[in-house]
């Protein structure tokens, strides 16, 4: 034990000497034994100070961007339970398939007081934003992230520290898409009434550039040099707007039009969003394609560089972020449109959709590889993600077609 303590004390004394924190030589000590001049002492300490700075910088990167703090796939159950909405009760003073648009919000057909509930989908929307900006660091706008490797290389061009930002952007894609449908379809009676002001405000706040911070680069064309609000601050404002709207729904003071045609519109928008990301995944994963005219394989739009495609992980994790958000949103929409799902006999189709969305969201390789589809050492994770999303999108298209009948 004594040897351990002695070793610790020796290391501590060495560190103090290297950093120049030794006590000054007492008076009376011969000049030749006193510390060196300031310039020479600083030069001797510079390597240690630089090393300490690099360690602190690397530690900050790992702490902020090394992992997701809110990536548990069990989050939908917690959010749905926290809404406190009674089972089978439609959100707000909406119309739905079982009620007429002209029905008063304060009474049902028998004259009894009407029971209203908040929207599970709106609660899920607010919870997803909260997970991205309150429970975690909003990486795309962080100065530490935007600086890249000493302003020389963006993190997107490297295999490090960009997965969280890509994932959060994927979640934001879904949030923005659903915000439009809340404002234009679900929050209005048959598209004829005025949208709810809180839905208008929330949608506009989510449109703020994801890279906006207080001070921005003069080369950034999307953001002012000095911004009035940050991306994270704007998105937090959207949370407050959605919570106010949901409270109005619970008080029967707002509309949530849970009709079949509105469900079809939402599903159609989400299927188009997935169509875009699967097209990107498919193109990047094809290093070679067959040309019928030449009767041979030719270079394709992508590559098969495996682990050495440093942008493949960006695309993969953005897709995973979209599926993570849809994993909760589709479960919430099922609760909001419970009458539509039951009357149109969509239960089995919806079960398959939720399963395929969850399977895609659960794909999380340690290192994303963009190799050949039949690769042994370097598999094709982009193709695996694209296949999982294709299955989910096929279910969405089938749901849309059944609702159209």
């Amino acid at each position: 034990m004594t040897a351990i303590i002695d070793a610790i004390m020796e290391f501590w004394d060495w560190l103090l000497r290297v950093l120049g924190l030794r006590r000054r030589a007492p008076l009376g000590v011969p000049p030749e034994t006193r510390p060196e001049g300031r310039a020479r002492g600083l030069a001797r300490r510079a390597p240690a100070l630089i090393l300490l700075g690099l360690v602190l910088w690397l530690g900050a990167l790992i702490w902020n961007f090394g992992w997701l703090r809110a990536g548990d796939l069990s989050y939908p159950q917690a959010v749905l339970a926290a809404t406190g909405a009674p089972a089978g009760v439609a959100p707000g003073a909406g119309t739905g398939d079982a009620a007429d648009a002209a029905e008063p919000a304060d009474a049902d057909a028998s004259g009894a007081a009407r029971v209203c509930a908040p929207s599970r989908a709106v609660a899920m929307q607010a919870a997803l934003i909260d997970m991205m900006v309150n429970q975690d660091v909003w990486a795309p706008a962080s100065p530490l992230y935007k600086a890249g490797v000493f302003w020389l290389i963006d993190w997107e061009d490297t295999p490090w520290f960009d997965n969280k930002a890509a994932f959060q952007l994927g979640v934001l894609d879904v949030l923005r898409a659903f915000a439009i449908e809340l404002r234009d379809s679900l929050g209005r009676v048959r598209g004829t009434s005025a949208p709810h002001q809180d839905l208008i405000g929330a949608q506009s706040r989510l449109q703020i550039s994801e890279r906006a911070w207080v001070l921005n680069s003069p080369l950034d064309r999307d953001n002012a040099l000095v911004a009035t609000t940050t991306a994270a601050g704007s998105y937090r404002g959207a949370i407050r707007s959605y919570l106010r709207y949901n409270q109005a729904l619970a008080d029967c003071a707002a509309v949530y039009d849970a009709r079949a045609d509105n469900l079809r519109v939402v599903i159609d928008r989400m299927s188009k969003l997935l169509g875009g990301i699967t097209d990107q995944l498919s193109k990047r994963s094809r290093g070679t394609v067959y040309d019928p005219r030449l009767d041979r394989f030719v270079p394709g739009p992508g590559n098969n560089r495996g682990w050495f495609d440093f942008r493949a992980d960006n695309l993969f994790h953005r897709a995973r972020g979209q599926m993570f958000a849809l994993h909760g949103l589709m479960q919430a929409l099922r609760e909001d449109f419970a009458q539509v799902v039951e009357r149109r006999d969509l239960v089995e189709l919806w079960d398959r959709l939720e399963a395929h969305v969850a399977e895609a969201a659960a794909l999380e390789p340690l290192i994303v590889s963009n190799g050949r589809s039949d690769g042994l050492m370097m598999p094709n994770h982009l193709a695996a993600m694209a296949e999982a999303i294709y299955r989910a999108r096929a279910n969405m298209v089938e749901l849309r077609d059944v609702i159209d009948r």
Side-chain angles (χ1 to χ4, degrees):
M1 187 66 181
T2 304
I4 296 176
I5 295 175
D6 290 341
I8 294 175
M9 294 304 297
E10 289 178 5
F11 174 77
W12 180 251
D13 291 339
W14 172 83
L15 184 62
L16 291 179
R17 288 197 304 271
V18 169
L19 296 178
L21 300 178
R22 299 173 299 178
R23 291 180 300 175
R24 290 187 176 183
L27 295 175
V29 175
E32 61 272 10
T33 62
R34 292 181 182 179
E36 297 83 357
R38 290 185 179 180
R40 187 175 178 184
L42 182 60
R44 291 183 59 184
R45 294 193 295 270
L49 292 173
I50 293 173
L51 179 61
L52 180 60
L54 289 174
V55 169
L56 293 176
W57 174 69
L58 183 60
L61 289 171
I62 294 173
W63 176 256
N64 287 291
F65 314 126
W67 70 90
L68 285 165
R69 292 167 175 79
D72 188 357
L73 286 178
S74 64
Y75 78 91
Q77 290 73 34
V79 175
L80 293 176
T83 60
V89 179
T95 60
D97 274 12
D100 185 77
E103 182 181 342
D106 57 350
D108 59 18
S110 63
R114 183 173 181 182
V115 177
C116 295
S119 164
R120 292 81 166 176
V122 172
M124 194 68 67
Q125 180 93 337
L128 283 165
I129 303 173
D130 179 72
M131 282 188 279
M132 295 300 107
V133 299
N134 290 332
Q135 300 180 34
D136 212 332
V137 176
W138 181 251
S142 170
L144 188 63
Y145 178 79
K146 293 197 293 184
V149 185
F150 305 115
W151 292 275
L152 298 176
I153 305 174
D154 290 335
W155 288 119
E156 290 90 342
D157 296 324
T158 74
W160 306 292
F161 302 121
D162 56 353
N163 293 348
K164 175 188 278 190
F167 180 91
Q168 290 177 330
L169 290 176
V171 173
L172 184 62
D173 291 338
V174 174
L175 294 175
R176 285 173 169 171
F178 188 57
I180 294 173
E181 296 307 328
L182 277 172
R183 183 197 64 187
D184 294 344
S185 301
L186 299 178
R188 308 168 66 181
V189 179
R190 301 186 184 274
T192 58
S193 64
H196 197 281
Q197 289 301 310
D198 282 323
L199 295 181
I200 296 175
Q203 193 270 336
S204 64
R205 289 185 177 95
L206 287 176
Q207 293 305 313
I208 295 293
S209 171
E210 60 275 4
R211 294 176 63 87
W213 196 62
V214 178
L215 297 175
N216 300 288
S217 168
L219 302 178
D220 188 350
R221 297 181 179 180
D222 296 330
N223 298 294
L225 182 61
V226 180
T228 57
T229 183
T230 64
S234 180
Y235 302 160
R236 291 188 186 102
I239 296 176
R240 294 190 290 271
S241 296
Y242 283 130
L243 293 180
R244 284 196 300 267
Y245 172 70
N246 235 8
Q247 184 58 51
L249 290 178
D251 295 338
C252 298
V255 169
Y256 186 90
D257 201 2
R259 291 181 293 112
D261 56 338
N262 281 340
L263 178 60
R264 182 205 178 280
V265 170
V266 174
I267 292 176
D268 185 60
R269 179 175 288 275
M270 295 306 169
S271 69
K272 290 177 180 178
L273 179 66
L274 296 188
I277 196 67
T278 49
D279 182 62
Q280 295 178 57
L281 288 166
S282 178
K283 286 182 178 178
R284 190 161 191 96
S285 65
R286 290 189 296 167
T288 58
V289 295
Y290 183 75
D291 189 334
R293 296 181 179 180
L294 300 177
D295 194 24
R296 61 183 174 86
F297 284 91
V298 297
N303 65 79
N304 295 130
R305 293 197 292 265
W307 299 323
F308 302 99
D309 182 358
F310 296 150
R311 282 190 170 267
D313 59 337
N314 306 342
L315 188 56
F316 179 92
H317 286 287
R318 186 160 189 160
R320 192 169 71 89
Q322 291 185 8
M323 303 312 288
F324 178 85
L326 284 174
H327 175 58
L329 192 58
M330 297 312 295
Q331 294 186 46
L333 285 171
R334 183 175 188 165
E335 297 292 328
D336 282 353
F337 289 85
Q339 295 179 1
V340 176
V341 172
E342 182 179 355
R343 294 188 179 191
R344 300 298 179 95
D345 196 20
L346 303 177
V347 174
E348 186 177 349
L349 273 176
W350 209 289
D351 286 342
R352 290 205 299 268
L353 170 61
E354 288 186 10
H356 292 150
V357 169
E359 289 165 3
L363 293 176
E364 192 176 4
L366 182 62
I367 301 175
V368 175
S369 170
N370 184 23
R372 292 172 54 90
S373 297
D374 56 355
L376 176 62
M377 296 299 296
M378 293 188 289
N380 194 329
H381 292 130
L382 299 189
M385 176 62 79
E387 181 183 357
I389 297 178
Y390 270 130
R391 291 196 295 267
R393 186 172 183 272
N395 293 140
M396 287 184 176
V397 172
E398 192 173 1
L399 276 171
R400 184 189 63 193
D401 292 343
V402 171
I403 294 173
D404 280 340
R405 294 173 188 170

